[in-house]
Amino acid sequence: MAVVIEDDDDIREVVHAVLEASGLEVYAAGNGIDGVDAVRRHNPDVITLDLGLPDIDGIEVTRRVREFSDAYIIMLTARAREVDTLQGLAIGADDFVTKPFRPRELLARVETLLRRPRGSKLLSGSAGSPTAELPPAQAPSAPTAPTLVIPGAEPSGLEHNGLFLDVATRTTRVGNEEVQLTRTEFDLLQALMEAGRVVRSTTGLARWLHAREYETGGYVSESEERAIQVHIANLRRKLGDSAQSPRWVETVRGVGYRLAAKTSEN
């Protein structure tokens, strides 16, 4: 199911038709207030959201929706509003498409989000080249990846320095305290935890989010890379982690991210 929040009649009809043709049940709203209500009533899997709405803007819509829904949010944004796009990602949106867009591109983004494997198709590096981007079938397993099972849980958990990730229930805990993550934040964290100390490049993460993991030469824009950086910053903030002295997510400057080293107490 999908909710389209767009004030432009022509664009709203195009997006509605594209999503409906893909097999989704679609509800549409022409302003932000009605859009939030539609999300609350219909509990969609995905939301397309125009940032420039006539009442409350897309940033406020995202903020309100994230109080009760973990639906994927794709922002439709003009090129001149990159700052707003990054702000939207910072408060919980998952992806963006720049106007004017091709219907096929929007549909591809939606389908990617809805079928995204939970971290299993991210590109990993090889032992000799820690940032090489290989297809998943060729990627070696990281010897230091955390694979500890959470005590008392099914064997679907990952643990690292007191951070617990249960893949089956898609829950995250720091110690005994549960941390609420968006779907994209959870997926990125799972990918990093499965990779261990092997670096995930920012470009590779962006390709994976857009289902281009096999197109290793595919172009990734600066905006797409910055979107990854915003998602990682959100993840750190929610975990209470520090970029300067990381306990969990370590930045490899100019390359990407990996898990921080194991602490002596773990």
Side-chain angles (χ1 to χ4, degrees):
M1 185 178 295
V3 167
V4 177
I5 307 175
E6 169 65 61
D7 66 315
D8 185 293
D9 292 342
D10 292 335
I11 295 178
R12 186 170 63 249
E13 289 179 8
V14 168
V15 175
H16 189 290
V18 168
L19 297 182
E20 194 170 56
S22 73
L24 291 170
E25 184 178 357
V26 184
Y27 297 87
N31 61 64
I33 297 294
D34 290 345
V36 173
D37 288 342
V39 173
R40 194 183 300 275
R41 282 186 281 111
H42 301 297
N43 189 27
D45 300 298
V46 63
I47 302 163
T48 66
L49 172 62
D50 180 29
L51 285 182
L53 296 168
D55 49 357
I56 59 174
D57 64 16
I59 302 299
E60 180 60 24
V61 170
T62 301
R63 184 178 291 110
R64 295 187 187 187
V65 165
R66 277 293 174 249
E67 293 177 357
F68 63 88
S69 172
D70 68 346
Y72 286 122
I73 298 177
I74 300 179
M75 298 178 295
L76 305 183
T77 177
R79 293 184 187 278
R81 304 192 63 169
E82 183 174 319
V83 172
D84 293 336
T85 301
L86 295 178
Q87 185 179 354
L89 293 171
I91 61 174
D94 295 282
D95 201 357
F96 66 95
V97 175
T98 303
K99 296 179 180 178
F101 59 86
R102 294 174 299 174
R104 182 177 298 178
E105 177 188 6
L106 175 62
L107 181 59
R109 294 292 180 93
V110 170
E111 290 178 342
T112 295
L113 289 174
L114 293 179
R115 70 169 183 264
R116 182 189 298 168
R118 300 309 182 189
S120 63
K121 282 194 176 181
L122 275 160
L123 307 175
S124 358
S126 64
S129 178
T131 61
E133 293 168 358
L134 301 175
Q138 300 175 23
S141 59
T144 57
T147 55
L148 301 181
V149 177
I150 301 174
E154 294 297 320
S156 60
L158 301 169
E159 185 279 339
H160 186 74
N161 289 345
L163 171 64
F164 298 90
L165 201 73
D166 191 298
V167 178
T169 62
R170 293 186 61 79
T171 55
T172 308
R173 290 189 296 111
V174 174
N176 294 320
E177 183 176 351
E178 186 169 342
V179 180
Q180 298 297 324
L181 302 178
T182 67
R183 296 184 184 187
T184 295
E185 291 160 2
F186 185 96
D187 293 343
L188 289 174
L189 179 58
Q190 181 184 346
L192 292 174
M193 292 187 75
E194 288 179 344
R197 295 285 287 167
V198 174
V199 180
R200 302 287 196 185
S201 73
T202 305
T203 300
L205 290 170
R207 288 197 184 104
W208 169 72
L209 284 179
H210 299 147
R212 290 179 288 170
E213 65 270 23
Y214 293 108
E215 299 178 20
T216 57
Y219 175 72
V220 173
S221 69
E222 291 183 3
S223 294
E224 289 172 324
E225 291 191 352
R226 280 196 289 273
I228 295 296
Q229 294 166 1
V230 171
H231 286 311
I232 295 294
N234 290 342
L235 182 59
R236 281 181 170 139
R237 174 176 52 80
K238 292 181 179 182
L239 295 177
D241 205 6
S242 166
Q244 290 71 39
S245 302
R247 182 177 178 185
W248 295 297
V249 181
E250 176 183 332
T251 299
V252 180
R253 189 173 298 277
V255 182
Y257 305 94
R258 65 182 177 185
L259 280 191
K262 275 278 190 179
T263 61
S264 57
E265 59 203 58
N266 284 274

